[in-house]
Amino acid sequence: MPDRGGGPTGPRIRAGRPSRRVRTLLMTLGVLAVLGMAFTMFAGFWTDWLWYRSVHYSSVFTTMLWTKIGLFFVFGLLMAAAVGVNIWLAHRLRPPLSAMSMEQQSLDRYRMGIAPYKKWLLLAVTALVGLIAGASASSQWRTWLMWVNGVPFHQKDPQFHLDVAFYAFDLPWYRFLLGFGFAAAILCLIAAALTHYLYGGLRVTSPGARATAAATGHLSVLLGIFVALKAVAYWLDRYGLAVKSSDFKATGNWTGLRYVDANAYLPAKTILFCIAVICALLFFATLWRRTWQLPVIGFGLMVLSAILIGGLYPAIVQKFQVQPNEQAKEAPYVQKNLTATREAYGIDDTKVTEYAGKSTASDKTKLRDQVDDAAGIRIMDPNIVSPTFQVLQQMKNYYGFPTNLDVDRYAAKDGKDQDTVLGLRELNLDGVPKNNWINDHFRYTHGYGVVAAKGTEANANGEPVFTEYDLPSRGDLGTYQQRIYYGEKTTTYSIVGGPQKEIDYSDDDGEKTTSYQGGSGVNLDNPVNRAAYAVAFNEPQILYSGAIGKGSRILYNRTPKERVEAVAPWLTIDGDAYPAVVNHRIQWIVDAYTTTNGYPYASRTTLGDTTADSLTATNNSRAVVAQQNQVNYIRNSVKATVDAYTGEVKLYEWDTKDPVLKTWMKAFPGTVEAKSAISPDLMDHLRYPQDLFKVQRELLTRYHVTDAQTFLTGSEVWQVPDDPTNKSGNAVPPYYLSMKMPDQTKQAFSLSTTFTPNGRYNLSAFMSVDAEAGSSDYGKIRILKLPTSTTVDGPKQVQSQFNSEQDIAAAIKLLKGGDSEVEYGNLLTVPLDGGLLYVEPVYVRGGGLKYPLLRKVLVTYEGETAFEDTLGEALDKVFGAKGSTTTPPDTGTTNPPPSDNPTVQQALKDAQKAFDAGQEALKQPNGPDWTAYDKAQKDLKDALERAREAQTKADKNKGSDNSTDKSTDKSVS
């Protein structure tokens, strides 16, 4: 019988080896896995290309792609070649015979092990370092494009007298090249040393010489290259001092040379450069001398010099020359910092004017008529009334408004511009009746219409006075495309234009449907496109769903910020895109900035920190995108628009002198349109951006001072006050307001803020910038500086006075009755006849629906305070105008309607008595008597009910026309 155990008489079964079928299956699975990974990478690339092509910015995609590919291959091949050549050279320079030692016998095993795979190992090592270096270099595409396309600033730094473009565009690229050179030198040195050691050129424990002459020469050249690169680094460091960051108590994050830099570090870097050059030459000389003695001495001297000259000497200068007389030593350099910082942030033309802070009018009643001329006081706060818009104008649950509405200017019926609060009725998928894939992505695809209200008015119920309302929207804006496919709340993709009809809106006649005709998005007719998007969005239904057919298009990247960031990745985007009806279309307007951190001597700021306020603390979407970007130069160089229906993105050159923008326009030609292409209708809605204003106001807390000595003492440092209406402890947000500054002849749409002294609450200055894009004064910053010898109440003090006023506090407590909540609107500050007028709307959120309604207006001027139902009444009381009235904080009537019925007359007299008793209860010296007040309110209600019943009965008996009953009902309501 055959030996089944695999003996000599029978075949041996190979245990553990998989069968051919299993091997085939595993190979198939492996191939499929590779193909799957390849298609996943292809899907990402392909969908990006399709999207850029759909928005007509394919040149941006191709420029970035080819730049990255070029950098990847150039620097990847350079690194691979450098490492590969040095490994090959070290192998070629190996000694013919290795020494007979235990060390070499151990290495023999490794040499024999890798001998058959030497070429493959060399290729693997070089490929690995090449891939890593190439990937790192490709991320520097911005640095390369700025260097190769850089245009001059035509401004020179005060130390080296080089154009600012050298620091902004050239120096970053040179530093990258230097870093790449250091990495290559170190990797080549390590690879060569390991190869020499493996093949006996270097010895650690063997007797005799530690290195062969060939190894010595090879490694000395590599060390010489490293030291030569260090010499270049010392030379570049000289110029780097002009953009070096350091903390300085007077200026914060200082950029530029100080006394110790100019008088210690700068000469030290020059000396170290010379020493490094000599040391590098000594290493190269080893090729002939074959000894390490001089190079090692030179290298030790360089290290010692770096410690003594580069570290110890500047510390001595700082300690014994600067600190004893810091202001005198640092003043010339601080002056350079003052000049550079003001230029870099566009605040060098700021106009600072002394302002009394006290009115000079002997009769303040005459100022009442000047208030309307001084400002269009906005009592509709866009940051509070969004829930009111939601309740009154949402119409359907699948619509919604942003948390913070926007302020714009639109022509009223009389032709004059008025401040308008507006928001778009955007799609809100959380309100879709039945959430499923078809509803979320095919049926509910867009919002509908603009809702707008007057900023300076409220109706009798405290609601906004809408100028654009209902669904479809109608009002003062006329005819425009109302469908909103692109918006701030539209964050998911939609598939439109196919067999599935979309919900437009519904009315009494039923559901209205539409099919998208905008032409944007990517066509899904191609099965390859469908497969790519199924992978990219991790949604397999896109591949096989019957809801997708001929004409179907996929819309994504739908928020205005996303679209502008994608087509212009070299811009920093403002945190607040805002809508406007322009040429019969809804356009999102997006402000964009060019920035750099390489402006010599200008102090740096972190965008995320300087643009934070009490609004961004609760609404992250309002913050700057690049939150931790440190910059020391910024320009609002581009105004962008995104069509809410088609998604079309347009970039307009706004700052025609900005060299950073000109550089990027050279890198991406044809992407930015000329400023002259902005239509007059669009120009009417462009405004000064909030984030730039917040950056500038933060710097002006210190840089309003132009004298170095005053700047160093810190006596004139201001601060942006905390929001007095918000307990978050964050800065008060700036606000848009049509206002007239003292040197202006008429109102201008402005962006304003206040300053207080550092660590104090009184007002130190008022700042405003002309925000009307079409104005000749656009961007002009005006600061009204209050005298330091007298104190003027700041926002927090004014708010505290409001809250502590006995009658106001009692009325506020009354407004908070039940489950109502009181919300304070923006505390507006308006310059008026040398003084400052403060106005604050007060809203109440009642029980049930919980949306805010304007109930009161707080006004104060020169110590006079009023808390009335309307702005007009409050102004009348503050200025003592003729016919001023004070409306009691409770409903009721003090003038009963006439009636012949004695029962009605008695009931109304009782009502008046109860009302008076209630008012007396609120005015008790020790605070309101709430028990007596509650009793009076009950008596008031009972008396009015008796009056109503008696009058109704009398009218029926006499056949009256019920006029008295209507009058009584009106008084009760």
Side-chain angles (χ1 to χ4, degrees):
M1 293 180 63
D3 184 0
R4 297 186 183 274
T9 59
R12 181 179 297 275
I13 298 174
R14 298 181 180 177
R17 182 177 181 181
S19 66
R20 180 177 298 177
R21 180 179 298 176
V22 174
R23 291 200 303 274
T24 303
L25 178 61
L26 291 174
M27 186 177 296
T28 303
L29 291 175
V31 171
L32 290 175
V34 172
L35 290 175
M37 293 173 61
F39 188 78
T40 300
M41 290 187 290
F42 167 78
F45 164 81
W46 186 243
T47 53
D48 285 348
W49 161 248
L50 291 173
W51 186 86
Y52 275 97
R53 191 176 65 175
S54 74
V55 294
H56 309 296
Y57 282 89
S58 54
S59 62
V60 174
F61 179 81
T62 54
T63 298
M64 290 192 299
L65 178 65
W66 289 117
T67 303
K68 291 177 181 179
I69 290 175
L71 292 172
F72 177 86
F73 279 104
V74 168
F75 286 95
L77 288 173
L78 281 174
M79 183 66 78
V83 173
V85 166
N86 277 279
I87 292 175
W88 173 82
L89 185 60
H91 179 264
R92 186 176 182 108
L93 295 176
R94 68 189 185 280
L97 297 173
S98 57
M100 297 301 294
S101 65
M102 293 297 296
E103 179 185 24
Q104 292 303 312
Q105 289 176 12
S106 299
L107 291 173
D108 277 340
R109 293 197 295 272
Y110 294 104
R111 287 193 286 263
M112 292 174 63
I114 66 173
Y117 312 107
K118 283 193 293 187
K119 290 183 179 179
W120 292 107
L121 188 60
L122 177 63
L123 286 174
V125 170
T126 54
L128 179 62
V129 296
L131 286 171
I132 295 172
S136 176
S138 67
S139 66
Q140 297 294 321
W141 64 272
R142 288 181 176 86
T143 309
W144 160 260
L145 288 176
M146 291 184 77
W147 177 67
V148 78
N149 295 289
V151 300
F153 277 67
H154 300 297
Q155 288 178 296
K156 295 184 177 181
D157 77 282
Q159 180 66 41
F160 301 102
H161 308 292
L162 296 174
D163 193 277
V164 172
F166 171 79
Y167 302 94
F169 306 140
D170 299 343
L171 190 58
W173 178 249
Y174 297 152
R175 282 176 165 168
F176 164 71
L177 292 178
L178 187 62
F180 180 84
F182 274 123
I186 292 170
L187 287 175
C188 290
L189 186 62
I190 293 172
L194 288 175
T195 305
H196 281 299
Y197 176 71
L198 182 63
Y199 288 96
L202 288 179
R203 306 180 185 94
V204 177
T205 61
S206 300
R210 299 294 184 187
T212 63
T216 299
H218 185 192
L219 296 179
S220 65
V221 169
L222 292 176
L223 286 169
I225 292 172
F226 178 85
V227 176
L229 289 172
K230 188 62 181 174
V232 175
Y234 282 132
W235 189 255
L236 285 180
D237 283 349
R238 298 170 68 254
Y239 303 109
L241 291 172
V243 289
K244 181 197 72 171
S245 284
S246 59
D247 288 329
F248 190 48
K249 62 184 179 181
T251 62
N253 195 329
W254 169 288
T255 302
L257 285 80
R258 293 159 57 185
Y259 180 89
V260 69
D261 297 312
N263 295 278
Y265 280 111
L266 187 58
K269 297 292 183 182
T270 306
I271 295 171
L272 289 171
F273 163 76
C274 297
I275 294 174
V277 170
I278 295 171
C279 185
L281 294 174
L282 292 176
F283 273 106
F284 293 138
T286 307
L287 283 171
W288 295 275
R289 294 180 57 85
R290 304 293 183 182
T291 176
W292 292 90
Q293 187 176 4
L294 285 178
V296 169
I297 293 173
F299 188 77
L301 177 63
M302 187 178 75
V303 173
L304 184 62
S305 300
I307 295 171
L308 295 178
I309 302 175
L312 185 60
Y313 174 62
I316 292 173
V317 171
Q318 178 68 26
K319 180 71 175 176
F320 295 103
Q321 290 191 34
V322 178
Q323 288 185 6
N325 193 16
E326 187 173 38
Q327 288 198 17
K329 296 291 186 184
E330 299 288 13
Y333 304 96
V334 169
Q335 194 64 54
K336 296 175 184 178
N337 174 262
L338 283 168
T339 302
T341 300
R342 290 169 62 88
E343 289 174 351
Y345 290 95
I347 56 177
D348 48 325
D349 291 330
T350 299
K351 182 180 179 181
V352 180
T353 306
E354 299 294 331
Y355 192 70
K358 300 288 184 182
S359 173
T360 56
S362 57
D363 184 5
K364 291 184 181 178
T365 57
K366 296 180 180 180
L367 297 180
R368 175 64 182 89
D369 295 332
Q370 296 182 24
V371 175
D372 292 337
D373 184 52
I377 298 175
R378 178 172 44 76
I379 55 177
M380 281 290 113
D381 188 339
N383 307 310
I384 287 182
V385 298
S386 177
T388 308
F389 273 51
Q390 189 84 0
V391 171
L392 301 179
Q393 287 293 318
Q394 179 188 18
M395 302 303 183
K396 300 295 178 183
N397 284 339
Y398 47 83
Y399 294 131
F401 292 94
T403 305
N404 303 95
L405 303 178
D406 290 287
V407 179
D408 204 343
R409 297 93 65 216
Y410 287 90
K413 292 181 179 179
D414 59 3
K416 296 181 179 179
D417 284 348
Q418 66 180 8
D419 290 0
T420 303
V421 176
L422 75 161
L424 300 190
R425 194 184 284 114
E426 293 192 49
L427 178 66
N428 174 29
L429 286 178
D430 292 335
V432 171
K434 292 183 179 180
N435 280 96
N436 55 56
W437 190 65
I438 295 295
N439 273 350
D440 288 353
H441 300 289
F442 291 82
R443 297 280 288 164
Y444 295 91
T445 59
H446 60 280
Y448 209 97
V450 176
V451 176
K454 295 181 180 180
T456 56
E457 293 183 31
N459 67 17
N461 295 324
E463 298 171 348
V465 178
F466 291 106
T467 57
E468 188 75 14
Y469 49 90
D470 287 351
L471 182 67
S473 293
R474 58 191 177 91
D476 295 350
L477 298 183
T479 304
Y480 60 96
Q481 173 56 261
Q482 297 195 17
R483 297 177 181 90
I484 304 160
Y485 283 86
Y486 296 88
E488 289 181 306
K489 296 172 72 68
T490 315
T491 56
T492 188
Y493 69 90
S494 288
I495 299 175
V496 299
Q500 280 283 353
K501 290 294 184 180
E502 308 159 40
I503 303 284
D504 217 359
Y505 62 90
S506 58
D507 57 18
D508 295 338
D509 296 328
E511 198 171 78
K512 307 295 183 182
T513 60
T514 188
S515 187
Y516 182 64
Q517 302 296 322
S520 65
V522 178
N523 199 314
L524 293 179
D525 288 350
N526 188 328
V528 175
N529 291 359
R530 291 178 67 170
Y533 279 104
V535 172
F537 290 165
N538 194 27
E539 183 49 74
Q541 292 186 80
I542 295 177
L543 184 60
Y544 56 78
S545 174
I548 301 175
K550 185 173 179 58
S552 291
R553 308 181 72 84
I554 185 168
L555 312 180
Y556 61 104
N557 286 351
R558 298 170 69 184
T559 68
K561 289 168 63 177
E562 281 180 326
R563 296 181 79 77
V564 176
E565 283 172 341
V567 303
W570 34 273
L571 292 173
T572 299
I573 310 302
D574 190 271
D576 183 26
Y578 58 98
V581 177
V582 178
N583 298 323
H584 307 293
R585 304 190 74 88
I586 300 173
Q587 298 282 351
W588 288 99
I589 300 174
V590 183
D591 286 289
Y593 310 107
T594 47
T595 62
T596 180
N597 64 356
Y599 197 100
Y601 274 98
S603 290
R604 288 195 172 100
T605 185
T606 304
L607 292 180
D609 295 338
T610 52
T611 57
D613 57 30
S614 61
L615 292 182
T616 61
T618 56
N619 185 7
N620 290 330
S621 65
R622 294 289 294 270
V624 162
V625 175
Q627 294 218 347
Q628 297 308 316
N629 269 13
Q630 274 211 333
V631 303
N632 66 355
Y633 172 94
I634 186 169
R635 289 290 186 272
N636 176 212
S637 53
V638 171
K639 300 283 188 181
T641 61
V642 178
D643 192 291
Y645 183 68
T646 65
E648 181 185 21
V649 182
K650 287 188 176 182
L651 307 175
Y652 297 100
E653 181 184 15
W654 185 248
D655 190 332
T656 57
K657 298 180 181 179
D658 177 28
V660 181
L661 177 61
K662 292 182 182 298
T663 295
W664 286 119
M665 289 174 67
K666 281 181 64 180
F668 296 96
T671 56
V672 181
E673 298 185 36
K675 187 175 184 178
S676 58
I678 300 176
S679 68
D681 198 6
L682 174 59
M683 185 70 77
D684 288 342
H685 296 282
L686 299 181
R687 68 190 192 190
Y688 201 81
Q690 291 189 59
D691 283 339
L692 176 60
F693 183 79
K694 287 188 277 190
V695 169
Q696 291 173 326
R697 76 169 178 179
E698 180 64 31
L699 285 157
L700 283 168
T701 59
R702 292 170 286 136
Y703 286 93
H704 63 279
V705 173
T706 57
D707 175 67
Q709 293 291 346
T710 306
F711 188 84
L712 281 166
T713 62
S715 61
E716 290 290 323
V717 175
W718 299 337
Q719 67 182 13
V720 179
D722 292 341
D723 189 347
T725 66
N726 190 304
K727 295 181 180 179
S728 65
N730 296 99
V732 61
Y735 48 83
Y736 290 103
L737 189 70
S738 291
M739 180 181 62
K740 185 176 74 174
M741 291 288 278
D743 65 334
Q744 293 178 298
T745 57
K746 62 178 182 178
Q747 291 182 17
F749 192 64
S750 306
L751 189 57
S752 307
T753 191
T754 53
F755 295 112
T756 58
N758 194 26
R760 298 178 62 192
Y761 296 125
N762 57 291
L763 201 67
S764 56
F766 176 82
M767 171 182 170
S768 178
V769 64
D770 193 323
E772 285 190 32
S775 168
S776 59
D777 281 346
Y778 172 82
K780 183 175 182 179
I781 300 174
R782 296 175 173 88
I783 293 180
L784 304 180
K785 185 175 180 293
L786 281 80
T788 56
S789 57
T790 59
T791 59
V792 178
D793 290 340
K796 209 158 191 175
Q797 290 173 314
V798 170
Q799 188 68 44
S800 178
Q801 289 176 9
F802 283 156
N803 296 338
S804 61
E805 189 92 15
Q806 187 174 357
D807 291 344
I808 296 176
I812 292 291
K813 190 169 183 178
L814 178 63
L815 292 173
K816 290 181 179 179
D819 59 352
S820 297
E821 299 175 10
V822 171
E823 290 188 39
Y824 296 100
N826 36 217
L827 180 60
L828 303 176
T829 309
V830 178
L832 179 65
D833 191 52
L836 291 163
L837 174 70
Y838 286 98
V839 179
E840 183 177 74
V842 178
Y843 298 83
V844 176
R845 287 179 183 253
L849 295 177
K850 289 286 186 182
Y851 63 93
L853 297 174
L854 181 69
R855 290 307 187 198
K856 294 288 183 179
V857 179
L858 283 161
V859 174
T860 185
Y861 184 78
E862 301 279 307
E864 294 291 333
T865 301
F867 184 58
E868 302 299 324
D869 289 344
T870 66
L871 175 62
E873 292 174 358
L875 291 172
D876 287 346
K877 182 176 180 181
V878 164
F879 293 104
K882 200 169 182 180
S884 64
T885 58
T886 303
T887 303
D890 187 58
T891 58
T893 176
T894 57
N895 297 302
S899 174
D900 296 332
N901 190 304
T903 306
V904 173
Q905 290 181 349
Q906 184 59 46
L908 289 177
K909 288 180 181 179
D910 292 342
Q912 181 65 53
K913 184 178 179 182
F915 178 82
D916 293 338
Q919 297 307 298
E920 287 298 323
L922 291 175
K923 297 178 181 180
Q924 293 300 308
N926 297 325
D929 184 348
W930 296 110
T931 302
Y933 179 80
D934 290 340
K935 183 179 182 302
Q937 292 301 297
K938 290 178 182 178
D939 293 342
L940 174 62
K941 183 179 179 181
D942 292 341
L944 291 172
E945 285 294 330
R946 282 190 283 112
R948 189 207 306 263
E949 292 172 1
Q951 188 64 48
T952 302
K953 185 176 180 180
D955 289 342
K956 286 181 180 179
N957 293 335
K958 295 180 181 180
S960 69
D961 61 0
N962 202 32
S963 61
T964 307
D965 183 52
K966 290 180 180 178
S967 177
T968 309
D969 283 344
K970 183 178 179 180
S971 70
V972 174
S973 64

